[in-house]
Amino acid sequence: MGSALDSLPALLAKKDYARALRVLQAEIDAKPKSFPVRRQYAEVLALAGRRRDAIDAYEALFESSLEEGYFPRATAILAQIAKLAPDRKTDVEEMRARVAERERKATQFASAIRKPPSRTSAEPRKAKFRGVPEKAIPEIFERATIVEYAAGQVVYEEGTEGNSLFLIQDGSVRKDMKRAEGDSVMITTLIAGELFGEAAVLTGKPRAATVTAREACVLLEMSRAGMEDVMSRHPELKEALEARLRESAARAMAALKK
């Protein structure tokens, strides 16, 4: 049985853009993260003469591509925006500068992670992230965002919505959870080379603990969408995160019973 998308060539040939857009919108409703379909939707909006809507659609594609670390894709989308909006040259240049800055930081981080540690520690800083397959690391570097936290700063609070996980490049954090009685218990501390927040990526549930920086930290934040994309090519990464989640759940249960 064919897909509704099979009718698109005929609709576009007849310039029936209204029906073509309805077909594409239905597909987007079913698969909201499908880049090819969302891009085609923007293209048809432009063909239909809906310039403002097309620009908005392309800008949404730009933002998601930038967030997920697809820098060449983001740059290609900018070319479409520039073509549709020649009067917005300054905006396009600012967006291009954002791509360059994010790409620079990603490259800088990828280089930094391979350097020897700059500080001493009771436990040597790991050259690799525990539980992350080595061949998936370059893709994570390309899509992640570098974030820094000062000592005592809360990374996220228990019960809040979450859509990303964190890998610790430098520093350490502590995880605390509330008992039924209302008091908080320290579950564990995590150091450079470890990750946390995997439940948000795997389950979409609210944060199960409060994570606080024990010292100045440099973290690599990976969005749920970006991680799902990497996991689609590296199934072993998902397996590793699921094992990590089970391990974290067991540790939390043991701590809360004390």
Side-chain angles (χ1 to χ4, degrees):
M1 189 172 179
S3 165
L5 291 176
D6 294 340
S7 65
L8 273 179
L11 293 174
L12 294 176
K14 292 187 294 185
K15 297 185 179 181
D16 191 348
Y17 301 128
R19 288 181 62 191
L21 287 169
R22 287 198 293 271
V23 169
L24 288 166
Q25 185 61 63
E27 191 70 14
I28 290 172
D29 291 341
K31 301 176 181 177
K33 296 180 181 179
S34 174
F35 176 81
V37 176
R38 291 169 62 204
R39 180 180 59 191
Q40 191 164 23
Y41 185 78
E43 291 171 352
V44 176
L45 283 171
L47 289 172
R50 294 170 57 178
R51 175 177 170 274
R52 181 64 261 174
D53 292 336
I55 292 172
D56 289 344
Y58 276 121
E59 286 183 343
L61 286 171
F62 169 81
E63 294 296 342
S64 62
S65 296
L66 187 62
E67 174 64 26
E68 294 170 23
Y70 291 105
F71 305 124
R73 177 192 291 179
T75 300
I77 294 168
L78 278 179
Q80 296 299 320
I81 296 174
K83 183 178 179 180
L84 285 169
D87 56 323
R88 293 182 53 187
K89 184 176 180 181
T90 300
D91 292 341
V92 171
E93 288 304 316
E94 289 178 353
M95 294 164 80
R96 187 170 286 113
R98 288 174 58 199
V99 176
E101 178 63 12
R102 287 288 294 273
E103 191 167 15
R104 183 190 67 78
K105 287 185 176 180
T107 302
Q108 181 183 55
F109 190 87
S111 176
I113 192 69
R114 291 173 173 82
K115 292 180 180 178
S118 59
R119 62 183 178 87
T120 58
S121 172
E123 182 174 346
R125 179 172 140 193
K126 300 174 179 63
K128 302 174 183 178
F129 290 116
R130 185 167 72 87
V132 179
E134 186 173 359
K135 60 183 178 180
I137 290 178
E139 293 186 47
I140 292 175
F141 287 156
E142 291 175 0
R143 291 162 177 76
T145 301
I146 303 168
V147 291
E148 299 183 17
Y149 289 85
Q153 188 174 359
V154 174
V155 180
Y156 58 71
E157 294 185 351
E158 182 176 352
T160 57
E161 295 298 317
N163 63 356
S164 62
L165 62 74
F166 297 83
L167 301 98
I168 306 174
Q169 154 67 13
D170 203 5
S172 59
V173 302
R174 58 178 284 164
K175 293 177 68 174
D176 296 89
M177 290 182 69
K178 290 181 180 178
R179 297 182 193 268
E181 295 79 4
D183 60 321
S184 292
V185 177
M186 189 182 79
I187 303 301
T188 189
T189 59
L190 301 171
I191 64 172
E194 297 189 278
L195 62 86
F196 60 92
E198 65 279 0
V201 168
L202 294 173
T203 70
K205 294 181 179 179
R207 300 294 191 185
T210 294
V211 175
T212 307
R214 296 178 66 245
E215 57 189 310
C217 289
V218 178
L219 308 177
L220 187 64
E221 183 174 11
M222 186 70 174
S223 71
R224 183 179 185 184
M227 187 60 80
E228 287 177 344
D229 184 60
V230 176
M231 288 191 296
S232 70
R233 285 184 296 282
H234 302 282
E236 68 276 18
L237 174 58
K238 184 176 182 181
E239 294 173 4
L241 291 180
E242 289 174 341
R244 173 77 179 185
L245 182 59
R246 291 191 295 270
E247 177 186 322
S248 297
R251 184 186 294 117
M253 186 176 297
L256 290 172
K257 287 181 178 179
K258 291 181 180 179

